[in-house]
């Protein structure tokens, strides 16, 4: 009971923080109410995504679960659906003050499912059916207890235990106990999704915006809700296949890995059918807005590709290690796997910079069609270059001396390979920064705005370079979690924390 009380208290604290944050987003001064509603919807979806997908379902069958009560495991099974429902319910009670629900009478025919995204709903339904069907092989998995844990245990308690190990665990729960937990988890997610979808569809229209904008907001909320549900179901299916590996076979893990990458990407880019307008009809995007939109689109595409590339590199190196360890032993297999990981990671970063330079080159060619002007650029603040140099030097130092963090560790990659990768990345990054300062821009913006654009591109190059040189020693030599965490954190630093946005309007009002 003490554990349950502690979990309830922590959930209450997190829910309070979510409420305060969403309320601050919805009631931000100086921003149009419709834009605040759009931002409010985005933050609801983002928070719900992280809270509903951050739970490790391996707790259903892993070693610590042996000492947990069944009631605690039930709470774990309901976490995903519970947080999904809680965040969206909190979101429905934190609208901007100008957009309060009102009773309205309309002669327009309105169906309950008018804004419902049917194709996306069908995909989520298929995922729900797949997750439910996998409960059967999960229920057939037998428990396992290692030889060291069998001492003092009656023979009949483990006579039917599977001899197939999963993930190196010494013991795990039988499928007859795990299957009901998976079923409860799936039911909780589907029930929460259905409840929130019903509330969104039945919610009264919001005052202060048009009927078309109300319809668009419903569509956006439903789209993001179903995509969140889809990601949670993909996570559940992956856990089910992993646990049922002794029954399904190792081939399912291979197929499911690439299938989940494809499905996750589809859900990631499945935008709402209706795009919410930020302003009325008598407004158009300014040159700064178009330039900023181009920059954000390039960053979105390249960062997505980097995440997918990182996952693909991890899969390729894992397969290489398993293949070579059988023939040459784990030591040589680990060295070959680390060399491949270092080379592929360096290539991925180089491709990132080359593609980013390619987008800038496309904008440069567009500028040449008009009347290009002399490029205007300025350096970033000195402290940015100082920190970047510190992280780059630290990453290179750890790459050549892994024993600084792990005593006794040896170089797992040839120094010549490491030197070639480091020098290549430094040269490509230097060339990219030079190009961002000398290419032309096709937008008719002020000097301050052009400087901001070039500084954002330069900061992104420094960010990916620092992150890569900090991650390479962490993943290739000694697998230090803190180093990896710092590298990932560097990659996630937004440019707005470093580069000051110019004071200008993103939209320009024009007469009808």
């Amino acid at each position: 009971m003490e554990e349950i009380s502690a979990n309830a208290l922590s959930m209450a604290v997190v829910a309070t923080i979510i409420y305060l944050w969403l309320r601050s987003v919805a009631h931000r001064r100086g921003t149009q109410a419709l834009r605040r509603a759009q931002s409010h919807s985005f933050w609801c979806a983002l928070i719900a995504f992280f809270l509903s997908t951050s739970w490790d379902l391996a707790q259903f069958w892993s070693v610590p679960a042996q000492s947990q009560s069944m009631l605690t495991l039930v709470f774990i099974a309901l976490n995903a659906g519970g947080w999904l429902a809680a965040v969206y319910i909190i979101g429905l009670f934190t609208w901007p003050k100008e957009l309060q629900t009102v009773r309205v009478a309309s002669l327009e025919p309105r169906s309950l499912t008018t804004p419902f995204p049917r194709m996306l709903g069908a995909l989520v339904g298929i995922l729900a059916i797949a997750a439910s069907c996998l409960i059967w092989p999960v229920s057939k998995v037998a428990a396992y207890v290692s030889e060291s844990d069998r001492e003092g245990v009656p023979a009949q308690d483990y006579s039917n235990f599977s001899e197939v190990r999963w993930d190196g665990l010494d013991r795990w729960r039988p499928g007859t106990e795990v299957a009901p937990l998976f079923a409860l988890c799936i039911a909780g997610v589907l029930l929460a999704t259905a409840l929130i979808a019903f509330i969104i569809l039945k919610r009264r229209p919001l005052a202060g915006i048009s009927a078309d904008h109300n319809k668009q907001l419903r569509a956006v909320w439903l789209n993001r809700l179903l995509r969140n549900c889809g990601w949670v179901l993909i996570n559940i299916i992956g856990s089910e296949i992993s646990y049922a590996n002794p029954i399904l076979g190792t081939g399912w893990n291979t197929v499911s890995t690439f299938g989940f990458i494809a499905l996750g990407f589809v859900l990631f880019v499945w935008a709402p059918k209706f795009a919410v307008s930020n302003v009325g009809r008598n407004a158009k995007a300014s040159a700064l807005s178009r330039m900023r939109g181009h920059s954000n689109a390039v960053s979105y595409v390249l960062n997505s590709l980097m995440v997918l590339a990182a996952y693909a590199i991890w899969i390729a190196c894992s397969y290489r290690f398993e293949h070579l360890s059988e023939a040459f032993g784990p030591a040589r297999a680990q060295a070959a796997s680390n060399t491949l990981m270092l080379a592929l990671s360096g290539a991925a970063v180089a491709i990132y910079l080359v593609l980013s330079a390619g987008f800038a080159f496309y904008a440069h060619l567009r500028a040449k069609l008009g009347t290009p002007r002399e490029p205007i650029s300025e350096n970033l603040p000195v402290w940015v270059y100082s920190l970047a140099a510190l992280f780059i030097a630290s990453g290179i130092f750890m790459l050549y001396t892994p024993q600084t963090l792990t005593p006794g560790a040896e170089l797992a990659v040839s120094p010549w390979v490491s030197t070639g990768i480091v020098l290549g990345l430094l040269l490509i990054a230097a060339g990219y920064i030079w190009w961002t300062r000398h290419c032309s821009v096709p937008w008719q913006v002020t000097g301050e705005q052009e400087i901001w654009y070039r500084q954002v591109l330069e900061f992104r190059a420094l960010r990916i370079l620092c992150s890569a040189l900090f991650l390479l020693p962490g993943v290739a030599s000694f697998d230090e979690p803190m180093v990896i965490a710092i590298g990932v954190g560097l990659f996630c630093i937004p440019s707005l924390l470093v580069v000051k946005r110019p004071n200008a309007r993103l939209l320009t009002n024009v007469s009808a």
Side-chain angles (χ1 to χ4, degrees):
M1 291 301 294
E2 293 181 359
E3 183 178 358
I4 295 175
S5 300
N7 290 334
L9 179 60
S10 62
M11 291 178 66
V13 172
V14 173
T16 303
I17 295 174
I18 294 171
Y19 174 82
L20 295 175
W21 172 252
L22 292 179
R23 193 167 183 83
S24 67
V25 170
H27 296 266
R28 187 181 298 145
R29 295 180 178 179
T31 308
Q32 189 185 20
L34 181 59
R35 292 195 63 195
R36 278 184 276 138
Q38 185 181 10
S39 177
H40 174 267
S41 170
F42 167 77
W43 279 106
C44 283
L46 186 66
I47 295 171
F49 168 75
F50 281 110
L51 287 178
S52 59
T53 59
S54 60
W55 301 97
D56 184 12
L57 297 182
Q59 296 180 75
F60 289 167
W61 67 83
S62 61
V63 176
Q66 302 290 333
S67 59
Q68 292 177 340
S69 65
M70 185 56 64
L71 185 59
T72 302
L73 295 178
V74 168
F75 273 100
I76 295 174
L78 294 174
N79 264 326
W83 278 117
L84 193 65
V87 173
Y88 275 92
I89 290 175
I90 293 173
L92 292 173
F93 286 94
T94 52
W95 285 103
K97 289 182 178 180
E98 300 90 334
L99 303 179
Q100 299 298 329
T101 57
V102 295
R103 292 184 179 271
V104 295
S106 175
L107 297 178
E108 288 187 23
R110 176 171 174 258
S111 170
L112 186 65
T113 59
T114 297
F116 190 84
R118 292 177 177 82
M119 293 297 295
L120 183 56
L123 176 59
V124 173
I126 293 172
L127 292 175
I129 293 173
S132 301
C133 291
L134 284 171
I135 293 177
W136 181 83
V138 166
S139 65
K140 299 300 179 181
V141 178
Y144 177 83
V145 175
S146 65
E147 294 292 340
S148 59
D149 287 337
R150 292 184 185 182
E151 298 179 4
V153 179
Q156 62 270 19
D157 289 347
Y158 59 85
S159 57
N160 294 324
F161 285 178
S162 169
E163 292 299 329
V164 183
R165 297 174 65 82
W166 185 93
D167 256 2
L169 293 178
D170 290 331
R171 59 191 300 176
W172 64 78
R173 304 174 76 95
T176 53
E177 298 181 13
V178 176
L181 295 174
F182 273 117
L184 184 62
C185 186
I186 296 170
V189 171
L190 295 179
L191 182 61
T193 304
L195 174 64
I196 299 303
F198 180 78
I199 294 175
I200 293 173
L201 288 169
K202 292 291 290 182
R203 174 181 54 78
R204 298 170 185 168
L206 300 174
I209 58 176
S210 65
D212 186 47
H213 285 158
N214 264 294
K215 185 178 180 180
Q216 291 173 4
L217 277 176
R218 291 184 200 272
V220 169
W221 273 70
L222 289 169
N223 175 277
R224 289 170 174 166
L225 172 65
L226 291 177
R227 288 158 69 194
N228 267 332
C229 178
W231 276 313
V232 176
L233 290 174
I234 288 175
N235 186 30
I236 294 174
I237 292 173
S239 299
E240 288 176 322
I241 292 177
S242 297
Y243 176 73
N245 186 46
I247 303 297
L248 298 175
T250 55
W252 276 77
N253 276 333
T254 304
V255 175
S256 64
T257 297
F258 293 100
F260 294 156
I261 294 176
L263 286 173
F265 183 75
V266 168
L267 290 173
F268 185 67
V269 299
W270 198 314
K273 185 176 180 181
F274 301 99
V276 177
S277 302
N278 287 334
V279 293
R281 295 179 180 178
N282 296 329
K284 68 176 184 179
S286 65
L288 174 61
S289 177
R290 294 193 298 272
M291 183 175 68
R292 181 170 171 266
H294 173 270
S295 174
N296 290 339
V298 171
S299 178
Y300 172 82
V301 172
L302 294 182
N303 289 341
S304 300
L305 290 177
M306 281 298 297
V307 173
L308 294 176
Y311 196 73
I313 291 171
W314 177 75
I315 295 293
C317 294
S318 298
Y319 276 107
R320 182 176 178 84
F321 174 78
E322 294 177 2
H323 177 71
L324 294 180
S325 60
E326 298 177 358
F328 303 103
R332 293 184 61 183
Q334 187 66 47
S337 177
N338 289 341
T339 302
L340 178 64
M341 180 175 292
L342 209 65
L344 292 179
S345 301
V349 176
I351 292 173
Y352 177 97
L353 294 173
V354 170
L355 289 177
S356 183
F359 284 109
F361 181 70
Y362 171 77
H364 174 79
L365 293 180
R366 297 288 295 179
K368 291 298 182 181
L369 297 177
T371 306
R373 62 182 184 183
E374 193 69 21
I376 305 174
S377 63
E378 288 184 4
N379 292 332
L380 289 167
V382 177
W383 64 269
V384 176
Y385 295 112
S386 301
L387 288 178
L390 177 62
F391 283 116
I392 291 172
S394 301
I396 295 174
F397 179 75
M398 290 186 294
L399 186 62
Y400 287 98
T401 57
Q403 63 273 13
T404 54
L405 291 180
T406 304
E410 298 180 357
L411 279 174
V413 181
S414 169
W416 294 104
V417 175
S418 302
T419 303
I421 293 173
V422 170
L423 289 179
L425 290 179
L426 290 176
L427 288 175
I428 293 175
Y432 173 81
I433 293 174
W434 177 88
W435 171 243
T436 59
R437 294 191 176 196
H438 291 81
C439 64
S440 301
V441 295
W443 304 279
Q444 298 299 319
V445 293
T446 65
E448 180 190 12
Q449 295 166 358
E450 182 177 340
I451 290 172
W452 169 83
Y453 173 73
R454 298 181 190 278
Q455 286 183 337
V456 167
L457 296 182
E458 182 177 345
F459 172 75
R460 289 173 181 169
L462 292 176
R463 179 179 63 186
I464 189 68
L465 183 64
C466 295
S467 175
L469 292 179
F470 228 81
L471 281 172
L472 291 180
V475 299
S477 296
F478 43 79
D479 193 23
E480 183 66 29
M482 184 59 66
V483 175
I484 295 176
I486 294 175
V488 174
L490 290 173
F491 181 75
C492 297
I493 297 176
S495 59
L496 60 88
L497 296 180
V498 177
V499 183
K500 183 180 179 181
R501 183 179 299 177
N503 296 321
R505 300 183 63 180
L506 297 178
L507 297 148
T508 304
N509 293 327
V510 296
S511 57

